């Protein structure tokens, strides 16, 4: 079984994924790592925060062929595995569910403040050092992203 934990940034996906994988004694990966590898290979991705729905969808759609290959590879080599990240959407899960044994959950966050982002950087410590306007933008966008 492949377990997918998706959703908005800063809502606890990595924390849940880490605990879930430890509880089941299985491996896990973040799509952030995959995107970083793709970026180093020279494949373009947005360089600035942009949480407009059309941008999020376009980025996820561009990532989907890589995501599909990852799921296929994991399915053929591991009995169970967890994948988490912001880089896939419910429509991608529906497509993959037709071919692979998948369970998915999407997390959201209805309230986050710029201070929360600085105080609780999670698995991405770079969030703590973001300029205040960027933290404010993320705090405004995450609940909107979570709602759709």
């Amino acid at each position: 079984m492949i377990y997918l934990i998706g959703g908005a940034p800063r809502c606890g996906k990595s924390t849940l994924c880490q605990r879930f994988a430890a509880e089941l004694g299985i491996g896990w990966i973040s799509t952030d790592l995959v995107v970083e590898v793709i970026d180093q290979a020279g494949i373009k991705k947005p360089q600035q925060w942009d949480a407009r729905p059309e941008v999020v969808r376009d980025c996820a759609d561009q990532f989907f062929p890589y995501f599909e290959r990852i799921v296929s590879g994991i399915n053929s080599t591991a009995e169970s595995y967890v994948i988490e990240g912001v880089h896939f959407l419910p429509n991608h899960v529906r497509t993959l569910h037709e071919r692979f044994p998948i369970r998915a959950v999407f997390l959201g966050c209805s309230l986050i403040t710029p201070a929360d982002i600085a105080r609780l950087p999670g698995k991405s410590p770079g969030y703590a050092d973001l300029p205040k306007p960027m933290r404010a933008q993320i705090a405004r966008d995450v609940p909107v992203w979570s709602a759709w």
Side-chain angles (χ1 to χ4, degrees), residues 7 9 46 50-65 67 86-92 94 106 144-148:
D50 191 339
R52 290 177 294 156
E54 63 272 16
V55 173
V56 172
R57 277 191 298 271
D58 286 349
C59 289
D61 287 345
Q62 288 176 22
F63 180 69
F64 182 71
F67 185 57
V86 299
H87 302 95
F88 57 91
L89 299 172
N91 63 308
H92 300 127
R94 278 191 297 276
F106 285 83
V144 174
W145 185 331
S146 297
W148 60 268

Side-chain angles (χ1 to χ4, degrees), residues 114 117-118 126-138:
I117 294 168
Y127 278 101
D129 298 326
L130 290 173
K132 285 183 181 183
M134 176 63 100
R135 288 196 310 262
Q137 184 65 48
I138 293 170

Side-chain angles (χ1 to χ4, degrees), residues 4-91:
L4 303 175
I5 300 174
R10 314 300 315 136
C11 65
K13 293 179 306 298
S14 295
T15 301
L16 175 61
C17 183
Q18 189 173 27
R19 289 180 182 170
F20 186 67
E23 179 77 22
L24 295 179
I26 61 177
W28 70 279
I29 190 169
S30 171
T31 59
D32 290 343
L33 175 62
V34 177
V35 168
E36 185 178 319
V37 169
I38 291 169
D39 187 45
Q40 289 182 6
I43 297 164
K44 299 295 182 210
K45 68 173 187 159
Q47 297 301 313
Q48 295 182 340
W49 173 269
D50 191 339
R52 290 177 294 156
E54 63 272 16
V55 173
V56 172
R57 277 191 298 271
D58 286 349
C59 289
D61 287 345
Q62 288 176 22
F63 180 69
F64 182 71
Y66 303 100
F67 185 57
E68 184 174 33
R69 181 63 189 111
I70 291 163
V71 169
S72 177
I74 288 172
N75 183 64
S76 67
T77 59
E79 191 170 313
S80 293
Y81 208 81
V82 185
I83 305 171
E84 67 89 4
V86 299
H87 302 95
F88 57 91
L89 299 172
N91 63 308

